[in-house]
Structure formats: C-alpha cells, structure tokens
Amino acid sequence: MSTAPEAESHQESEPVKPPLLPSRKKTSPGWWKVFEFFASFGLATVVLFFLFIITWVGTLEQVENGLHVTVREYFESLYAVYWVNGVIPIPLPGGYLLLLLLFLNIVCGGIIRLRKKPQTIGILIAHLSIAFLIVAGAVSFYFKKDGNMALWPGDSSNLFQSFTNWVVEVKELGTDSDVWMIHDSDFKDLEGSKSRVFTNDALPFELKLFGYVRNSELGVADGGSSGGQPVVDGFYLKPSPAAKEDEMNVGGVLCEVLGKDGSKLGESVITFHPSGKVFTFEADGRKFAVEMNRERWEVPFTVRLDKFVHEVYPKTNKPRVFRSEITRTENGIDEPVKISMNEPMRYKGYTFFQASWGPQGAGPNDPKFSQFEVAKNPSDHWPLWSCIAAFIGLALHFSMSLWKFSKRSAKKSSAKSETAAGEETVPPAASQPEP
Amino acid sequence: MKYRHKFRKSVSILLLALVAVTVAPVFGQDNPEAGIDPNLVDPKILPAEWSEETVRAFEELVVQDERLKPIASYAAVKLLKFRGIKGVHLNLTDGGKRDLTPAAWMLDALFYPEAACQYPIFLVEDRAALDVIGLDLHKKKRERYSFNELAPAREKLNEAAGRYAKIDSKDRNTVQSMVVELANNIADYEYIVRSLDFAREGLPVYRGEDSEGEMERVPASTFLREELVPMVEAVRSYGTIDKMPPRLGEAANEYLGLAQAARGSIDGIHFFPGYDPNGEEWYSCGELLFLTMQRVPDGAADPEFIKHRDWAADRLEQIERLVAAKDDRSEFHKELVAFAAARTTDMAPLLAAAKGADSKEWQRRQARQFTVAPVEVDYHHGKYFFKAWGIFVALLLAIAVTWLSPAAKWSQRLRKLTFFATFIPLGLIVVGVSYRVYIMGRPPVSELYETVPYITFVVISVCLLLDRTLKLPVMLPLACALGALGLFVADKYETIQGADTMKELTAVLRSNFWLTTHVLVVLVGYAAGILAAVMSGIYVVSRAFDVRRKKSEFFRTLSRATYGIICFGLLFSLVGTVLGGIWANYSWGRFWGWDPKENGALMIVLWFLMILHARVGGFIKEFGMHLLSVIGGAVVVFSWFHTNQLGVGLHSYGFTSGVMFAINLAYGTLAALFIVGLITSVIANHYESEEKAARKKARDQQLPDGATSAGA
C-alpha cells in the first residue's frame, strides 16, 4: 500500500523531458549523428557551463587588464587562455565559438527537434527568443556603428567618430576627391618588422605601412637611441604601456610612400599624437596628405549644441542632470530637441545618447562641452522583442507545468484522503490483527 | 519515524546554530557596553536631559546634506559612522545609565561639547590601531573611546593616516584602514563640536591704536553688523594679515579660524536656506561668516551688501540665542521652535515656487523633502526592520520549541500560530520599505542596501507560499531564519557603509520606470537563487544525517520545490537581465557592455539554464541538482555583492573590507555545504548500488535456473 504512491511520486520528482522527435539510432546516417550532437542536451550543458566560466573569468580579468582587452580576449574570440597566477595556462573556448554552438544547439535541439505540441509551445517560444537574441547580438556586432560626437555650445557637426578604431586617411590636397581610408583592422597586426603594401588604382603611388604601436608617444631620434624602434625622418614611435581602456591609447604606424615604379617618394611617422604632424608628399605632380584619425561616419543631418546643462547635487560632485539642448538641421529645416540621460534622440536610424561632458576637472561655472554617444544599430529594438517573447514563453511553460503539478497533487491528496476515510470506516473488529 | 526524528533533531540543531549566529553579534551590538564598557562617565559633567518635545523639535529640523533631510537622519548617520550604532549608551560612575538618541547626542555635541567629548564615541575594532599611534589605554581589543582619550595622539594619528591614505584602499591592511577611518571620524567630529564655537566665544574686536590695544569679544551677529567692515578694510589696507599690528592680526586670524571651524569643510551642518531664493545651496554658520566677509565692498557702502550682511547676522543671532538659552530648557525649547519656524519662513518662497506651473525639478524635490522631514523622523523611530528582525528571531525560537514534541496538540497550535504571526514581521518590512518609497519618492530599490530587505521579503513570501502549498515543514522555520538573517545582513551592511542609505541618485539611475522593471525583476531572480541554495543546503545536510533514505517524501518534495524555484528564478533572472540590457541600450546605446554587474546577472541565468538542461538531459540526478544549486548560491553572492567590490565597471562602489569578509564567509559556508554534499552523494551512491545489487540477486534467486534478470 505504501510502495505504489512512492513509486508514483518518485516519477514526479524527475523533471519531465521535453518531447523530442524520435531518435534514429538503428539507421542513423552520418548527418543525423551530427544533427543529434548539435541538438543534444549534453552540448547545451557543456556550452552553458563554459559560457558561465568565461563570463566569470572575463569579469575577474577586467580588474587587471581592463574592459576592452578582456572583451577581445574572452568574448570576441574563438578561444582564450586563462593563466592561473600567470604560470599555468588553461585553454578555454571563446565567446564566438560558444555563442555559435549555442545558437546551433538551440536551432537543432530547441526548435527543430522539439516535438511541436501544445505542451511545448512555451519552450519553443523561449528557444526562438534566445536564438533571436543571439542573432540580434551578431547583427549588432557586425553592423552597428557607434562612436562619439563632442560639441561645445554653439558648435555644430554631422560627423561622429569611433571610440577605438583608427584609420589612416589619404587625401589629395586642393581637390574634393574621395578620401582613401585604410582601416586599422588591416594594419593592427603590423608590429615590429611586419609590413604590408596598400594600393589604390586611382592613386599614382603605393603605401607601405609597418611598425604599428598600439599606444605610443612620438620620439625624436636626434642621434640618440630609439630603443630598437625604426626611425623615419628623424622620428620614431616610442611604445608606452597600453592603457586598460582602449580609447585612451594613442596608436601610431610608420609609412613609406612608393611610386608605381617602386621608387621611394617619402616616409613618415603617422600618429594621432598631438605632437604628430600631417605627412604631405608629392606624386605624379599631385600633392597628398596622410594622417591618422579615429574612424568617422557621417549622419544625414547636422546637430548644433545650443545649451548644455550640467547640474550636480548641492555641495557634491554627484551628477543630477546632464542635458543638451540641440538644434537638428535637415534640408534647411531646424528642429529643437533635448537630449538627456535616459532620453536619447532617435532619428533616421541614428540614436544620440547623452554620454559625458568635458573637459575633465571643469568647475561648476566653467565652460563645458557635451559628449554624445552616437549609434546606428539595425538590431536596436530586437532585444526588447526577444525579452518579451522569452517572458511569454517561459511564463507559459512554467505556468503550465505548475498547473499540471497542482492538478496531480490535488488528485494525489484526494486519493490519500479517500484511503484515509476508507480506513476509518473499517469496523474495529476487522482491523484487529489476527492472533 | 526514525528518520523523522533524526530530521527534526538535525533541523533543531541547524535552527539553534542559526539563532546563535544571528542573535549573538546583534545583542552584542545593541548593548555593547553592558558589563564590558570601562568608559564610565561622571554624571556631574552631564547636561540635564532634554525633554522629549525638544528632542522631537530638533529631530525635525531640516538640514542639507546632499539632500534635505531631518537632522535626526544626519545625526544617525554620523553616529553609525563613529560608533557603529545609531545611539549612545552611557554608563555613569554612580551606577546609573543614560541612553541618548542620535538627535539628543547631537544636541549635547553642539551645545555641551565639553561633556560630549567625554562620551565613548569612537569605535576601534582592534586595539592594534592605537598601538600604531602609541596610545595604550589598557582597554579591551574592541572598544569605544571618547574624543578626550584620543586627543593626545591626534598629531600621530593624522601623520599615520596621511601615510596610509596613500596606499590604495584595496591594498591596506585592517589596521591601516582603521587608522585612516579613525582619523577621518575624529576630524568630522571636531567640526561638529566646534561648529557653534563662534556663538559661545564671540568674536574678537581690537579697540586700540597700537599693538598694545584692548581686545574684547562681541557676539558674532554684532561683529558682522558693526565690526566686519572695519576689520576687512584694515586687512586690505595692510595687504595681508601678517603685516598687520599683532593684536589686529590676531583678531582677524581668530575670525577666520572660527569661520573655518563653523564651516567644517564639506561636513558642516547646513542649517540655512540660501540668501538667494533661486539658489539651491544651503549654508552653514561658517559659510555665512565667510560669504559675508567676501562680499565686503571696496569703498562706499553697498545697500545690497548691507541687506546680505543683516540677513546673515539675523541667522547667526538665532543660533546665539539658542546657545544662550541652553541651560534653561523651556527657554531653549521656545528658541528652537522659533528657529525651526524661521526656516519654514525662509523656505516659503521656494515652497510657493515649487507649486507653480513653471517650477524647476530641484525646487519640487526640495519642497517635498522639506515637508516630508517629520515622516522621515517617524521612520527612524519606527525601527521597522529591527523590530521585524526581533520578531523573526522570536518566531524561530517558538518553532524550535515545537520540535520538542511535534505530535502534541499544543505544538501544532503553536506552529499554526507561528505561521500567521510571520505576517507581522513581513508586514513590518513592507511598512519600512513603504516609508522609504514615500520619503524618497522613488521605487523600493535604488541602491545596494535596499536590495537586502526587498530580497528578504521575496524569499519569506515564497517560503510561506511553499509551506502552505507543499506542506513542507521546513519552510516556516526557514522563512523565519532567512528573515532574521536577511535583516541582520541589512543592518550590518548599513553599519559597515556608515553612510546615508537614502541617497540622491546619479543622473543615469534617475528613471523610475527602469528602476521598477529591471531592478525589481532581476532581484526576484537573486532571491530565487538564494532560496534554492539554502533549500539545497538543507537537503544536503539532511541527507548527510540520513544517507540511505533517498525515496523519502520529504526529500522528494524538497527536490521538487527546489527545482520549481530554479525554474521561477530563471524566468525572473533572464527577463530582468535582458531588461537591464535594454535599459543600457536606451540610456547609453549599448545592450551589453560586459560590466561586472551585468556579467553577474548573466552568470546566474547561465547557471540556472545549465542546471535545468543537465537535469532534463539526465546528466545530473536529484543530488547533483542540489550540489549545483548550492554553487548557484555562491554565484548569486558574487553577482549581488562581490561585483561591486571589484573596483571596475559602472556599479563599483569602492572596496569595503567588512563587506569582503562577509562575502568570503558566504563562499566558505557554501563551499563547506558543497563538500559535505559531495561526500554524502558518493556514500549514497555506494549504498544505492549495493541495494541494487542485492535486489538483482534476490530476483535472480527467484527466477528458474538458467534465466537471468536481464533476460527476464
């Protein structure tokens, strides 16, 4: 009498597996085995575990190495190596690899293989929403442009620049011709003796870049030592310890201009450092300038800062309000807009956030500039939709499970009470044990 | 039955241990001097006690300290910082005792500094901090000291603190941190006790023609009206104070010294709304002295200056009247009421402007804070969280008593009564949180301290719900234990921080929508993680006592409940975390910035997801789920408190050694539970395989010759 309910409730304590399509173990071809691997709970568990580990390690690493380095090393990579006390290397899968595997796992296991029936609708929605969230992240990562625009009151601009990306810009002086831009993704690896030649069919020269330094100062050779760094035109790039926050680093690269016939037309240090100068040279009778800048993008309207309001709580430096009162001009039409913390301006796919102000250390009555973070993100609202869907899916699934559980419990308790009532009705004589 | 008995016994032990751990330190804190404090105070130096009406009128006096708040809050925070508790308990040499509320202590400190300097105000956690400055007062290791006791070592203390302050707070050892903190506390205290010196001593006036001339003292208000201009003109004519005749220079120096003491750096007590009704800053007495001096015009009298000077002199005169009336309690009360009424008059233009259609946000906020000050005083008097803590402890003890004879009718009645009584402390938490919501005019959780009562509330509510629905006997004591523990943590956290827990928010956090949605939702996930870990802890410990009983109804129900809580935690953590990302995206333009706090929330989601997938996939069983759930508790602790201590990211509030100790204690406890669980699970698996083998053998014996159970 006591074993039957126990066995029943023991089954209840095991979580119910979401119904999956039947396995084809006996006749499974190779592709099915691969599919089963990607659809498996085992892969899900392992991927989630390693995602947890890299998130944890990546959080602790920020203390030592700063945000950008850590993000690049652990989250924007296929693999990473965590050094225990700087001695023991522990290889770990990187964020890219894990998110890709998770996505495949969700699609194969949580969407395709999941048996579609009313009971699994919640799980299906939840998996779809997470897959969509990963897609949103990928779209944002590959297609989002974000940077900053700093304006003093009265200034206007239609350009915003990247926080971290460099670009070597080549432009012909005295003309309106297009600017040739070489992105840092193409020359960041050219440290030490590595070099690469860049060509542009429209220009009568080639550009050889080499000796990239992530954070540098401009050194004057002046007959003295350059610490092994290549010297160009009397200058060299003196490496400085890289700042934890990548936007603080001042990149630099060495440049040699070669004619189409291979002759050297000039050489210079190209750096964003304030003491660096614009490198100019002549080729084929035309004058060109080369300089390093933050990557910049144009917005299809102009923003003028009319007033910047920066309030702090009395007798403290704690910010209470940052607000920029701007005029947005497009096709000659002006429109006043206020941008403040938590109330960005969204217009034509671009979003202007009130990010910061400067210069650092300015007093309450000193003039200040306002700094906007500008972003263009095709997947801007996708996380919100995903969040709503995930909530609906999980809430639906757990509510249904709870309902089923309560129904079973009620049934069980009523069965128990019936049994108890039955026991009570048994005449005392019958319940007497036999001698 | 044998198991049940064992179970109750083990739970009783757990309860008693929890009660002991929770009660001992807090009782120690509440009555720290009982029988151990050698700081006996001579009753002769004590001022007469303040009447309740006077203390209440003083408590409601509004001052500016980042926000407008009643002086009761200001004094409470100062005492918490100096002394570790919000109150002063004096043991007198004649055997008597005197308890001072924060406001009563502040009255003594302002009006009777010579007595207040003998109160044991400064908590030194380890005497080693005093060894560094060569002070040996032969007291216990952890003791409170008066200002007068520490004063002889001030110079050495400041010198050592200056040295240690150069070390990064993370790298300071405990003694170094204590020395720095003690020096800061003493400096703060000195500003308070000296802030009315100008009214007690008056200001010096030079009456002679040469350096031998007469010096006399006049009230500061008189000085401002009659002597300030000649003094400033004299300083200007000589160029600097150094070049002035000695007595005249001395007078000018003393003026500046008193003004500096009354201004007290950033910690001066800002009693007075500004001269300019459109200004937001309030002023201390010292600032009135300074500002008036700075405004002295060159040459001809400026009517605007005279107006400002008289305005400042009037306010200083009000303070002087209070100081003059201090020994006559009824006269003092009248002056205090008049002083408070004068501040309401000062605020009248702002209160009117705040109601206007074109009012500014800060005007509306100041008007609100000014008018809700009495409610804030009521909140302090209510001590809702403390009372709730006390009731939880009492209920926990009541439940422990029921374990003595669980089957008895009285025991069952007591248990039922306890269940309903649990709603009283739960209600007190709601009342306390509601007061804070009303006072600050924002959602219940906007800073780390407020997360603790909120999470405690959620945890207790879920426990009570499970008690009713699943009839799990352990949930009720668990509710009381976690209630007591949660409120104890809140109290300790407030003490360690030693700062106002109702602060103004920085610009980016000022969004009631997101504070309500993201914060409240994600914290339910935290609560679920903590509760699941504790329930798993109970499972692990219970199984350790009864390693063979896997199929008990209690264990099955506990496992089901834990699994359900993990599911419910996942829902809230996931949605709360994504909502946080959406807030970040809407505020800063990025959904995810790998900030430690964001990562912490993500880690909880990932851990819950991993447990559920591993369980559904059959990679872990009941015991495995509980072991991972225990680790989940550590993940929540990491996300909740540890990420704030890392010193990086947007949620970094600085390193606090006391908080780190508590975090490590939590990790240690959870690690111990995990190890116990791991060992128990190995033993349990061993028994289980033995049982399986025995069952198989029995079945094989029952089968005909040649057949096997597998074949059958």
Side-chain angles (χ1 to χ4, degrees):
Chain A
M1 200 173 115
S2 63
T3 49
E6 267 200 16
E8 188 193 333
S9 52
H10 180 60
Q11 280 170 359
E12 279 172 20
S13 73
E14 291 291 329
V16 182
K17 277 193 183 189
L20 301 176
L21 289 174
S23 176
R24 300 182 186 176
K25 271 182 188 168
K26 283 180 187 170
T27 57
S28 56
W31 65 267
W32 181 255
K33 279 183 182 164
V34 173
F35 175 78
E36 278 204 323
F37 167 75
F38 281 115
S40 65
F41 280 110
L43 180 67
T45 308
V46 170
V47 167
L48 289 166
F49 174 74
F50 277 110
L51 269 174
F52 171 85
I53 293 292
I54 63 160
T55 310
W56 180 47
V57 171
T59 305
L60 297 177
E61 278 283 292
Q62 287 182 32
V63 179
E64 293 301 320
N65 299 328
L67 182 65
H68 283 280
V69 173
T70 309
V71 168
R72 257 203 308 267
E73 211 165 296
Y74 289 93
F75 306 122
E76 295 176 0
S77 60
L78 286 172
Y79 67 93
V81 179
Y82 177 66
W83 290 86
V84 180
N85 293 331
V87 182
I88 308 161
I90 298 181
L92 292 168
Y96 275 174
L97 181 64
L98 289 171
L99 282 174
L100 181 70
L101 288 173
L102 185 66
F103 181 75
L104 288 172
N105 182 250
I106 290 172
V107 171
C108 297
I111 298 170
I112 299 173
R113 200 176 161 192
L114 185 79
R115 184 168 282 169
K116 318 295 181 298
K117 55 183 196 171
Q119 290 93 318
T120 59
I121 183 83
I123 301 182
L124 184 66
I125 295 172
H127 281 127
L128 276 168
S129 67
I130 300 300
F132 184 59
L133 189 66
I134 295 174
V135 172
V139 169
S140 171
F141 185 76
Y142 286 107
F143 301 105
K144 182 183 172 186
K145 286 176 185 167
D146 68 335
N148 70 310
M149 180 191 282
L151 292 175
W152 288 91
D155 281 356
S156 52
S157 174
N158 65 342
L159 291 173
F160 66 101
Q161 65 177 20
S162 167
F163 291 111
T164 54
N165 297 353
W166 299 109
V167 67
V168 170
E169 293 180 349
V170 184
K171 52 191 163 196
E172 188 173 357
L173 297 174
T175 65
D176 290 333
S177 57
D178 286 346
V179 177
W180 179 29
M181 287 193 280
I182 304 170
H183 296 270
D184 62 1
S185 51
D186 294 325
F187 62 79
K188 259 182 176 176
D189 58 327
L190 302 179
E191 289 174 347
S193 57
K194 278 198 219 165
S195 67
R196 190 168 294 133
V197 176
F198 296 86
T199 56
N200 183 324
D201 293 341
L203 299 174
F205 58 86
E206 292 174 337
L207 217 55
K208 182 179 162 191
L209 299 182
F210 60 103
Y212 173 75
V213 180
R214 187 173 157 215
N215 191 25
S216 62
E217 284 177 36
L218 193 63
V220 183
D222 208 16
S225 166
S226 65
Q229 292 295 318
V231 179
V232 168
D233 199 20
F235 294 94
Y236 68 99
L237 287 168
K238 194 170 149 193
S240 304
K244 279 185 188 178
E245 301 312 323
D246 208 20
E247 56 263 41
M248 305 300 286
N249 291 320
V250 180
V253 70
L254 302 178
C255 163
E256 219 174 84
V257 184
L258 306 168
K260 292 282 183 188
D261 58 354
S263 60
K264 193 161 140 185
L265 301 178
E267 59 177 9
S268 179
V269 171
I270 311 293
T271 173
F272 192 64
H273 201 275
S275 53
K277 54 180 183 176
V278 178
F279 165 45
T280 55
F281 64 91
E282 270 188 44
D284 212 11
R286 294 150 69 185
K287 251 191 151 177
F288 294 90
V290 184
E291 59 183 329
M292 187 177 249
N293 272 316
R294 290 286 188 201
E295 187 171 5
R296 284 171 292 179
W297 301 280
E298 215 172 289
V299 291
F301 48 86
T302 305
V303 170
R304 187 183 71 229
L305 180 67
D306 300 322
K307 188 179 173 189
F308 177 55
V309 179
H310 172 239
E311 289 177 9
V312 292
Y313 288 105
K315 317 262 180 189
T316 70
N317 291 321
K318 196 181 208 176
R320 179 174 58 195
V321 175
F322 294 137
R323 190 177 62 242
S324 297
E325 297 176 12
I326 62 148
T327 300
R328 188 180 64 220
T329 308
E330 190 184 17
N331 301 327
I333 301 166
D334 288 351
E335 194 171 337
V337 182
K338 283 181 185 167
I339 302 173
S340 60
M341 278 278 177
N342 292 317
E343 288 175 18
M345 174 184 80
R346 293 175 188 279
Y347 189 67
K348 296 226 161 163
Y350 291 88
T351 313
F352 280 63
F353 303 91
Q354 183 64 62
S356 183
W357 58 275
Q360 276 190 344
N365 299 318
D366 296 336
K368 296 179 189 72
F369 65 78
S370 173
Q371 187 159 313
F372 303 107
E373 176 157 344
V374 186
K376 186 176 189 186
N377 183 7
S379 61
D380 193 13
H381 296 291
W382 297 8
L384 177 62
W385 304 336
S386 160
C387 178
I388 293 167
F391 176 75
I392 292 171
L394 288 177
L396 196 67
H397 178 69
F398 292 141
S399 310
M400 280 162 68
S401 304
L402 195 67
W403 184 68
K404 260 164 58 185
F405 172 73
S406 331
K407 228 170 106 180
R408 270 207 303 267
S409 299
K411 218 171 162 183
K412 200 174 131 192
S413 60
S414 71
K416 260 188 186 174
S417 59
E418 270 172 26
T419 316
E423 277 172 355
E424 272 174 23
T425 54
V426 176
S431 65
Q432 292 281 326
E434 283 183 13
Chain B
M1 287 304 284
K2 192 185 163 194
Y3 164 69
R4 282 189 179 178
H5 180 67
K6 270 188 176 180
F7 165 71
R8 283 179 191 131
K9 217 173 161 186
S10 59
V11 172
S12 296
I13 292 165
L14 188 72
L15 275 177
L16 291 172
L18 268 172
V19 170
V21 166
T22 314
V23 173
V26 180
F27 268 128
Q29 194 188 68
D30 200 36
N31 287 304
E33 290 82 330
I36 55 157
D37 186 5
N39 285 300
L40 296 179
V41 177
D42 184 357
K44 285 178 201 155
I45 63 113
L46 287 181
E49 285 194 53
W50 305 95
S51 71
E52 275 183 28
E53 294 75 29
T54 302
V55 172
R56 176 74 196 194
F58 184 68
E59 281 175 331
E60 290 182 8
L61 206 61
V62 178
V63 296
Q64 188 178 58
D65 180 32
E66 187 179 288
R67 65 184 174 95
L68 296 192
K69 61 174 81 162
I71 203 164
S73 297
Y74 178 82
V77 169
K78 289 290 171 199
L79 265 189
L80 199 61
K81 193 162 171 271
F82 299 160
R83 204 161 189 276
I85 48 171
K86 296 174 184 175
V88 179
H89 179 87
L90 300 175
N91 288 324
L92 308 180
T93 48
D94 62 1
K97 292 178 189 309
R98 185 183 283 191
D99 287 315
L100 299 174
T101 61
W105 163 75
M106 182 63 86
L107 276 168
D108 283 358
L110 289 173
F111 295 98
Y112 296 96
E114 65 289 352
C117 286
Q118 295 193 43
Y119 300 168
I121 290 296
F122 300 102
L123 175 66
V124 177
E125 292 281 357
D126 189 337
R127 199 175 44 216
L130 298 186
D131 294 342
V132 171
I133 55 172
L135 201 64
D136 187 4
L137 297 171
H138 308 290
K139 286 193 177 182
K140 290 187 175 176
K141 190 180 174 193
R142 181 183 186 272
E143 193 55 274
R144 291 181 172 83
Y145 295 83
S146 70
F147 177 81
N148 285 352
E149 284 175 303
L150 299 173
R154 277 296 298 280
E155 210 173 301
K156 276 189 182 171
L157 180 66
N158 288 340
E159 186 264 324
R163 229 175 30 243
Y164 298 150
K166 289 175 190 157
I167 304 170
D168 189 82
S169 60
K170 259 187 191 174
D171 301 328
R172 277 181 218 151
N173 63 31
T174 317
V175 171
Q176 291 168 339
S177 300
M178 279 191 291
V179 167
V180 172
E181 197 184 336
L182 185 62
N184 289 339
N185 284 347
I186 289 179
D188 270 11
Y189 175 81
E190 205 170 10
Y191 281 130
I192 292 170
V193 289
R194 287 199 59 200
S195 60
L196 303 190
D197 276 1
F198 74 93
R200 273 184 285 274
E201 297 168 11
L203 286 158
V205 178
Y206 170 73
R207 297 288 185 208
E209 290 299 315
D210 53 35
S211 61
E212 298 302 316
E214 287 293 316
M215 282 266 277
E216 66 174 82
R217 306 192 83 84
V218 296
S221 52
T222 310
F223 186 94
L224 278 198
R225 289 193 184 100
E226 297 168 11
E227 308 293 342
L228 181 66
V229 173
M231 185 194 82
V232 173
E233 281 173 351
V235 175
R236 282 176 184 161
S237 68
Y238 285 100
T240 61
I241 293 178
D242 300 345
K243 293 176 185 164
M244 293 169 79
R247 304 300 296 271
L248 193 54
E250 202 180 309
N253 264 330
E254 194 173 337
Y255 176 88
L256 289 170
L258 284 168
Q260 182 62 43
R263 186 166 69 162
S265 183
I266 55 163
D267 289 312
I269 308 176
H270 302 110
F271 285 114
F272 305 105
Y275 172 69
D276 175 9
N278 294 317
E280 192 181 351
E281 290 195 356
W282 284 37
Y283 296 105
S284 63
C285 299
E287 281 170 321
L288 295 187
L289 291 171
F290 260 117
L291 290 174
T292 315
M293 185 180 73
Q294 283 172 345
R295 283 178 173 236
V296 173
D298 278 329
D302 174 4
E304 188 54 35
F305 165 73
I306 292 167
K307 204 174 152 196
H308 183 274
R309 182 196 65 189
D310 291 347
W311 170 84
D314 285 350
R315 271 137 193 84
L316 294 182
E317 201 175 344
Q318 289 165 12
I319 294 279
E320 284 163 353
R321 281 205 296 272
L322 276 171
V323 171
K326 66 175 184 174
D327 294 324
D328 182 341
R329 290 293 190 257
S330 81
E331 187 61 25
F332 181 86
H333 184 75
K334 274 188 213 160
E335 289 295 344
L336 186 61
V337 171
F339 186 84
R343 297 297 72 78
T344 309
T345 311
D346 289 345
M347 284 292 282
L350 186 130
L351 294 175
K355 286 182 187 162
D358 56 347
S359 60
K360 291 175 187 163
E361 194 267 342
W362 73 263
Q363 288 173 322
R364 292 194 296 276
R365 188 136 186 90
Q366 278 211 348
R368 181 185 160 75
Q369 288 174 341
F370 189 80
T371 45
V372 300
V375 181
E376 195 171 334
V377 175
D378 289 341
Y379 166 73
H380 286 298
H381 282 295
K383 294 184 177 170
Y384 299 102
F385 297 147
F386 179 73
K387 284 175 186 164
W389 171 82
I391 297 172
F392 277 130
V393 173
L395 293 175
L396 196 57
L397 290 173
I399 293 165
V401 169
T402 66
W403 292 117
L404 294 173
S405 179
K409 268 195 174 176
W410 66 264
S411 174
Q412 288 171 4
R413 279 184 194 147
L414 182 60
R415 195 184 184 283
K416 205 174 252 181
L417 190 71
T418 311
F419 175 81
F420 290 109
T422 313
F423 286 93
I424 298 170
L426 198 63
L428 286 172
I429 296 177
V430 174
V431 172
V433 171
S434 305
Y435 260 106
R436 297 175 69 93
V437 168
Y438 177 72
I439 292 163
M440 295 309 288
R442 64 188 186 213
V445 182
S446 50
E447 60 177 87
L448 201 52
Y449 167 78
E450 289 172 329
T451 61
V452 189
Y454 175 75
I455 287 179
T456 306
F457 172 81
V458 175
V459 166
I460 297 164
S461 304
V462 175
C463 284
L464 294 180
L465 191 73
L466 291 178
D467 182 87
R468 284 289 95 177
T469 52
L470 296 180
K471 310 285 180 208
L472 254 178
V474 77
M475 296 318 289
L476 184 58
L478 195 60
C480 297
L482 290 177
L485 189 67
L487 296 175
F488 173 71
V489 168
D491 181 73
K492 285 303 276 182
Y493 183 79
E494 188 186 18
T495 306
I496 289 169
Q497 288 290 301
D500 190 0
T501 56
M502 288 192 276
K503 292 193 198 98
E504 291 287 12
L505 297 177
T506 53
V508 72
L509 291 177
R510 296 180 67 223
S511 166
N512 282 354
F513 173 75
W514 290 112
L515 281 177
T516 309
T517 50
H518 157 61
V519 176
L520 297 190
V521 172
V522 83
L523 290 181
V524 175
Y526 282 33
I530 292 287
L531 185 56
V534 173
M535 286 169 69
S536 293
I538 290 172
Y539 178 93
V540 161
V541 173
S542 305
R543 283 297 302 269
F545 278 90
D546 195 12
V547 75
R548 283 173 183 267
R549 295 281 299 228
K550 189 194 172 190
K551 289 180 181 172
S552 132
E553 179 67 25
F554 167 73
F555 287 137
R556 274 198 300 275
T557 313
L558 193 62
S559 299
R560 277 202 300 267
T562 309
Y563 186 80
I565 286 168
I566 290 172
C567 294
F568 141 92
L570 171 66
L571 170 66
F572 283 90
S573 309
L574 177 67
V575 173
T577 305
V578 177
L579 280 172
I582 295 168
W583 183 5
N585 189 35
Y586 281 34
S587 299
W588 303 305
R590 57 127 186 93
F591 176 75
W592 200 260
W594 300 108
D595 178 83
K597 200 73 175 177
E598 293 173 350
N599 292 356
L602 177 65
M603 282 163 63
I604 296 175
V605 175
L606 292 169
W607 196 254
F608 281 163
L609 278 172
M610 192 193 75
I611 294 176
L612 296 186
H613 281 83
R615 181 86 176 107
V616 175
F619 303 109
I620 52 168
K621 293 184 178 169
E622 196 172 284
F623 222 125
M625 180 192 75
H626 286 295
L627 289 179
L628 293 184
S629 166
V630 167
I631 299 178
V635 178
V636 174
V637 171
F638 179 81
S639 175
W640 191 1
F641 287 109
H642 199 159
T643 50
N644 299 92
Q645 303 291 312
L646 293 176
V648 288
L650 300 162
H651 300 81
S652 170
Y653 308 140
F655 181 78
T656 317
S657 56
V659 174
M660 243 358 263
F661 173 77
I663 290 169
N664 288 331
L665 190 68
Y667 288 155
T669 309
L670 291 163
L673 277 175
F674 180 78
I675 292 165
V676 168
L678 203 61
I679 295 167
T680 310
S681 76
V682 171
I683 298 169
N685 280 340
H686 173 71
Y687 282 136
E688 210 175 306
S689 28
E690 267 185 359
E691 278 170 20
K692 262 187 191 170
R695 275 202 304 271
K696 188 171 175 276
K697 200 176 167 189
R699 270 201 305 272
D700 286 347
Q701 280 170 356
Q702 284 171 5
L703 289 170
D705 287 347
T708 61
S709 57

